[in-house]
């Protein structure tokens, strides 16, 4: 999703699994960049003690942790072993997928979130269809994606991933950004649009090295590293970050994310 990290409700294709260090970088550096998005959704839907939340592709579980802090009952599905282990370190109930996570997937939830976009080659409709089956009648599903490219300073940095990989293998992180793209994913799911919004999510890092580690943890650069080599990709990333380097040595890029709320009719 939507967010920067690439994941979904099915295992990543062979050869795209990230090392444990990348999962830790996601949890410690990159994931917090999306807190404004998570909080905006929680505020909009008044997440609290009466809410049961399922995160599909929940990563290391920060969005679920924030919902639990509001009193919600939370659970997650995450196919990446290392991310799932980090979520469990946060004492969250997170399973691998709907087959091994029977206890998680057996129940229906009042809110199902799909904050992340599927891996390269993944079908964006699949997690949305799964969410439609797992949400209670009258409940909500939330989808998220990058906002307009022209309003995201990180766009130029993300373009390094496509430029340094075979473009047929590199997913465009802005593919779900155009108006109506998220709404189109609801077709055939039994869900109907019920609002949405845009949220500013600045990417801020203490130094360029942290920025490179955080961005690489998204998974968006995996194909580029395979094709061009990790060292060259890191070098190109460092150069692309230069316009966003501040005099105090920090890095900051302003971005906009959008979210769509869908409702399952009663």
């Amino acid at each position: 999703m939507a967010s920067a990290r690439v994941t979904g409700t099915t295992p990543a294709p062979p050869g795209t699994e990230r090392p444990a260090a990348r999962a830790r970088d996601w949890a410690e550096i990159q994931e917090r960049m999306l807190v404004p998005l998570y909080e905006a959704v929680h505020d909009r839907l008044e997440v609290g003690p009466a809410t049961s939340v399922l995160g599909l592709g929940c990563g290391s579980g920060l969005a679920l942790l924030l919902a639990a802090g509001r009193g919600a009952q939370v659970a997650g599905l995450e196919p990446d072993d290392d991310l799932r282990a980090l979520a469990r370190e946060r004492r969250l109930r997170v399973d691998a997928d709907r087959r091994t996570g029977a206890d998680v997937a057996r129940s229906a939830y009042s809110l199902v979130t799909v904050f992340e976009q599927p891996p390269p080659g993944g079908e964006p409709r699949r997690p949305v269809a799964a969410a439609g089956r797992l949400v209670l009648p009258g409940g909500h599903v939330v989808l998220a994606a990058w906002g307009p490219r022209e309003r995201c300073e990180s766009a130029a940095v993300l373009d390094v991933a496509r430029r340094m990989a075979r473009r047929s293998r590199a997913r465009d992180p802005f593919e779900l950004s155009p108006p109506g793209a998220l709404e189109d994913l609801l077709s055939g799911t039994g869900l109907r649009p019920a609002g949405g919004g845009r949220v500013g999510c600045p990417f801020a890092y203490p130094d360029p090295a942290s920025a490179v580690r955080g961005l690489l943890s998204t998974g968006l650069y995996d194909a580029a590293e395979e094709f061009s080599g990790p060292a060259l990709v890191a070098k190109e990333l460092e150069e692309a970050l230069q316009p966003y380097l501040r005099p105090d040595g920090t890095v900051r890029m302003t971005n906009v994310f959008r979210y769509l709320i869908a409702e399952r009719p009663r």
Side-chain angles (χ1 to χ4, degrees):
M1 282 223 110
S3 72
R5 189 177 62 84
V6 182
T7 187
T9 57
T10 56
T16 64
E17 296 83 0
R18 288 168 296 149
R22 289 284 169 86
R24 182 69 66 176
D25 285 344
W26 169 262
E28 296 181 353
I29 300 174
Q30 192 65 28
E31 189 178 25
R32 68 176 185 269
M33 310 301 175
L34 302 177
V35 167
L37 169 66
Y38 302 152
E39 295 283 31
V41 169
H42 294 164
D43 287 343
R44 178 76 173 267
L45 294 175
E46 299 181 345
V47 170
T51 312
S52 56
V53 182
L54 175 67
L56 293 186
C58 65
S60 50
L62 182 56
L64 293 177
L65 194 66
L66 294 172
R70 294 169 175 249
Q73 300 297 310
V74 303
L77 293 173
E78 171 53 53
D80 184 281
D81 292 344
D82 295 312
L83 288 169
R84 189 170 63 254
L86 291 173
R88 289 173 174 172
E89 285 181 13
R90 289 169 162 168
R91 301 184 183 278
L92 296 169
R93 185 162 60 97
V94 175
D95 285 303
D97 57 37
R98 295 184 64 204
R99 292 163 295 182
T100 61
D103 291 340
V104 169
R106 183 180 299 126
S107 303
Y109 298 81
S110 61
L111 172 61
V112 180
T113 59
V114 187
F115 284 127
E116 312 298 344
Q117 297 179 25
E123 171 51 57
R125 294 180 188 273
R126 291 184 64 185
V128 182
R133 292 190 294 269
L134 291 167
V135 68
L136 289 165
H140 296 96
V141 170
V142 174
L143 314 179
W146 285 87
R149 180 185 292 269
E150 63 274 13
R151 294 192 58 188
C152 297
E153 289 185 333
S154 293
V157 178
L158 296 174
D159 281 344
V160 170
R162 301 188 72 212
R163 178 161 49 84
M164 301 193 70
R166 295 187 181 95
R167 288 184 176 269
S168 61
R169 298 183 58 204
R171 184 178 58 79
D172 181 1
F174 294 94
E175 64 183 332
L176 296 177
S177 301
L182 286 178
E183 288 80 357
D184 287 346
L185 297 181
L186 303 182
S187 177
T189 65
L191 300 168
R192 63 188 181 193
R198 292 184 177 182
V199 185
C201 291
F203 283 13
Y205 309 91
D207 51 59
S210 296
V212 170
R213 287 172 55 200
L215 290 164
L216 290 176
S217 76
T218 65
L220 291 170
Y221 298 86
D222 290 355
E225 287 189 314
E226 184 179 345
F227 184 65
S228 299
L232 186 56
V233 172
K235 179 177 180 295
E236 290 291 323
L237 260 181
E238 290 173 1
E239 293 181 2
L241 288 166
Q242 290 304 305
Y244 311 106
L245 183 62
R246 297 191 167 194
D248 63 359
T250 62
V251 176
R252 183 180 176 88
M253 297 172 282
T254 60
N255 298 298
V256 172
F257 281 77
R258 64 180 296 244
Y259 66 89
L260 172 69
I261 299 172
E263 182 179 48
R264 180 180 173 185
R266 295 182 184 276

